[in-house]
Amino acid sequence: MWTLHHFTLCPFSRKVRIVLAEKGVEFTLEEELPWLKSDELMDMNRAGQTPVLSGGKAGPIADSIAICEYFEETIEKAPLLGSGAAARAEVRRLTAWFDQKFYAEVVNPLLTERMFKRLVMRASPDSAALRVAARAMAVHLDYIEYLLGDRRWLAGSTFSLADIAAAAQLSVADYLGGIDWRGYRDAKTWYATVKSRRSIRAMLPERMAGISPPIHYDKLDF
Amino acid sequence: MWTLHHFTLCPFSRKVRIVLAEKGVEFTLEEELPWLKSDELMDMNRAGQTPVLSGGKAGPIADSIAICEYFEETIEKAPLLGSGAAARAEVRRLTAWFDQKFYAEVVNPLLTERMFKRLVMRASPDSAALRVAARAMAVHLDYIEYLLGDRRWLAGSTFSLADIAAAAQLSVADYLGGIDWRGYRDAKTWYATVKSRRSIRAMLPERMAGISPPIHYDKLDF
Ligand SMILES: N[C@@H](CCC(=O)N[C@@H](CS)C(=O)NCC(=O)O)C(=O)O
Ligand SMILES: N[C@@H](CCC(=O)N[C@@H](CS)C(=O)NCC(=O)O)C(=O)O
């Protein structure tokens, strides 16, 4: 049985949880606070980051993309990269967009200002950094609206890893009060559909001690 | 015929150039200065980043990992991910390590301080930032030595995308004078072997106007 070493508000951990649920892989969860760099985490992943998956035939697997591609290669059920090399390139492009660009510009600043400073540093958030993140958030929501202008899902006509990567990042931003959904009708409709999938819905009741999400966070109709 | 829109000192562009050369894909190069965000670049890649590959059947492909996986899927020659799902996970983990962690901690600060500030901002480098990058560089070289302690190549017994990703990042750091190879015997031997591959050697004579590399940069025996 696999064990996923995760952190509740880590979007990369969330992405892997959704992929495992979609693929029907059973696993147990073990919480890590990545900034503590526990010996156990460092032994499994020298990068000192969540997520890490242990307990399978493959030894600990680190890095969320390596984990997702591993299950895409080994489990046929619920293909998440699409079919055809060009379609798969588009899924991977958008997955990297949310994992890297959206994380760096929006989610990481929100985690720093609203989670890490509050719970770990006991400092107040930097309102200038939050304003920059809010402006970046608006640009990303515009881009999601643009994509959904002629696509049913973010990377095309089928649900894919791009939707999962986006939902994982957005759900953390939403938990931290970073999203004002007004004015983004298509993005909101897409996110409501995504939220209603069992793989994602199952994660939303979870709470991080000391930080409450806004009331709309786990509502399917928000 | 493919066109690779690249930037000489962009390590992600270098990674793709090496992959295309290893796979025997013909392409022409078109230089972009990513900070200028040219209309042409923005039209092909809304992320406004190099590299982008255009001109093939697949329409412009952005994101270096999407490009590398595309050719791994479509060209059998020179497999770069290894065989077996576990081996492939290890290649992808290390590729992400160099693309993300090494880039963020070492290459990006070097590019900012030694290239961007000099050529674009006409400002002096921040020596504190350079010291932090140098300390991170040493940690990464130690990790490379550790990996090579019982492996011929970074991810195992065969040359892989992990070696390419590492060589691409290291070659840019080396160009910018960021590597003191003394004391890293295994890393140096590995890098000498990597440098002597035609796909990589071919890139080393290239110069960026206004910035000269140290003399050892393109020597195979350094
Ligand atoms: N490339 C990694 C990134 C994982 C990552 O950044 N995890 C964060 C938590 S959301 C972390 O562990 N940060 C601590 C650190 O980087 O030291 C992946 O996709 O798994
Ligand atoms: N995830 C991208 C990262 C590419 C990247 O960061 N490129 C840099 C040049 S080395 C760039 O275009 N930076 C400008 C920017 O991010 O705005 C990839 O792997 O292709």
Side-chain angles (χ1 to χ4, degrees):
Chain A
M1 168 92 116
W2 297 98
T3 300
L4 183 69
H5 305 264
H6 82 122
F7 167 56
T8 306
L9 293 183
C10 166
F12 308 99
S13 302
R14 287 184 174 214
K15 182 179 63 181
V16 169
R17 289 169 73 175
I18 301 168
V19 165
L20 294 174
E22 292 282 338
K23 294 266 181 198
V25 176
E26 282 194 54
F27 63 101
T28 54
L29 283 173
E30 184 125 345
E31 179 102 1
E32 283 282 344
L33 303 180
W35 58 90
L36 296 184
K37 309 270 173 256
S38 73
D39 291 345
E40 199 197 359
L41 181 63
M42 292 304 294
D43 283 349
M44 291 183 301
N45 180 13
R46 273 281 282 261
Q49 297 180 323
T50 51
V52 184
L53 193 66
S54 71
K57 280 181 293 191
I61 313 181
D63 189 77
S64 65
I65 285 297
I67 299 172
C68 295
E69 296 269 1
Y70 178 87
F71 287 102
E72 185 69 5
E73 288 182 1
T74 55
I75 296 184
E76 260 178 62
K77 184 185 165 187
L80 295 173
L81 289 174
S83 55
R88 293 159 75 84
E90 179 65 355
V91 170
R92 290 194 177 101
R93 174 182 79 85
L94 286 169
T95 301
W97 176 292
F98 288 101
D99 280 359
Q100 293 170 38
K101 197 170 163 66
F102 187 78
Y103 177 71
E105 293 172 6
V106 178
V107 179
N108 195 31
L110 283 169
L111 281 168
T112 303
E113 302 305 327
R114 296 234 168 107
M115 186 273 295
F116 196 73
K117 285 199 180 165
R118 172 126 120 223
L119 298 185
V120 187
M121 296 173 70
R122 314 248 164 217
S124 355
D126 172 348
S127 54
L130 286 172
R131 269 196 307 274
V132 173
R135 273 197 299 272
M137 181 82 233
V139 174
H140 284 278
L141 285 171
D142 282 338
Y143 188 50
I144 291 174
E145 294 264 311
Y146 162 81
L147 290 171
L148 294 171
D150 60 3
R151 294 174 176 189
R152 168 130 190 253
W153 299 98
L154 293 181
S157 58
T158 51
F159 177 78
S160 78
L161 187 60
D163 299 288
I164 294 176
Q169 298 283 342
L170 283 162
S171 72
V172 174
D174 205 27
Y175 189 108
L176 296 169
I179 313 185
D180 179 353
W181 289 99
R182 283 170 306 173
Y184 299 103
R185 217 191 51 184
D186 290 350
K188 206 176 151 178
T189 306
W190 163 83
Y191 190 54
T193 313
V194 160
K195 257 178 157 177
S196 70
R197 291 179 89 88
R198 191 146 58 135
S199 59
I200 295 172
R201 207 172 62 213
M203 235 166 43
L204 301 179
E206 218 170 273
R207 293 292 173 269
M208 162 128 200
I211 304 184
S212 307
I215 28 168
H216 71 254
Y217 168 71
D218 56 5
K219 292 227 168 62
L220 299 185
D221 179 14
F222 56 104
Chain B
M1 169 91 116
W2 297 98
T3 300
L4 183 67
H5 306 264
H6 81 123
F7 166 57
T8 305
L9 293 182
C10 167
F12 308 98
S13 302
R14 289 184 171 214
K15 182 179 63 181
V16 169
R17 290 170 70 174
I18 301 167
V19 165
L20 294 175
E22 292 282 338
K23 294 265 178 197
V25 177
E26 283 194 55
F27 62 102
T28 54
L29 282 173
E30 183 123 348
E31 178 102 1
E32 282 284 344
L33 304 179
W35 59 89
L36 295 184
K37 309 270 173 256
S38 73
D39 291 345
E40 200 197 359
L41 182 63
M42 292 303 293
D43 282 349
M44 290 184 301
N45 180 13
R46 272 281 282 262
Q49 297 179 323
T50 52
V52 184
L53 193 66
S54 70
K57 279 181 293 190
I61 313 181
D63 188 78
S64 66
I65 285 297
I67 299 171
C68 295
E69 297 269 1
Y70 178 88
F71 287 102
E72 185 70 5
E73 288 182 1
T74 54
I75 296 184
E76 260 177 64
K77 183 184 168 188
L80 295 173
L81 289 174
S83 54
R88 295 160 73 85
E90 180 64 354
V91 171
R92 290 194 177 101
R93 173 182 81 84
L94 286 170
T95 301
W97 176 292
F98 289 101
D99 280 359
Q100 293 170 37
K101 197 171 165 64
F102 187 78
Y103 176 71
E105 292 171 6
V106 179
V107 180
N108 195 32
L110 282 169
L111 281 168
T112 302
E113 302 305 327
R114 296 230 170 110
M115 185 275 293
F116 197 72
K117 285 199 180 165
R118 172 125 120 223
L119 298 186
V120 187
M121 296 171 72
R122 313 248 164 220
S124 354
D126 172 350
S127 55
L130 286 171
R131 270 196 306 276
V132 172
R135 272 197 299 273
M137 180 83 231
V139 174
H140 285 279
L141 285 170
D142 282 338
Y143 188 51
I144 291 174
E145 294 265 310
Y146 162 82
L147 291 171
L148 294 170
D150 60 2
R151 294 175 177 187
R152 172 134 187 250
W153 299 99
L154 294 181
S157 57
T158 51
F159 177 77
S160 76
L161 187 60
D163 299 287
I164 295 176
Q169 298 284 341
L170 283 161
S171 71
V172 174
D174 205 27
Y175 190 108
L176 296 169
I179 312 185
D180 179 355
W181 289 100
R182 283 171 306 176
Y184 298 103
R185 217 192 49 184
D186 290 349
K188 206 175 149 177
T189 307
W190 163 83
Y191 190 54
T193 313
V194 160
K195 258 179 159 176
S196 70
R197 293 179 87 87
R198 190 145 58 134
S199 58
I200 295 172
R201 208 173 61 213
M203 233 165 43
L204 300 177
E206 216 171 275
R207 293 291 173 268
M208 164 128 199
I211 303 184
S212 307
I215 29 170
H216 71 254
Y217 169 72
D218 56 5
K219 291 225 169 63
L220 297 185
D221 180 12
F222 57 101

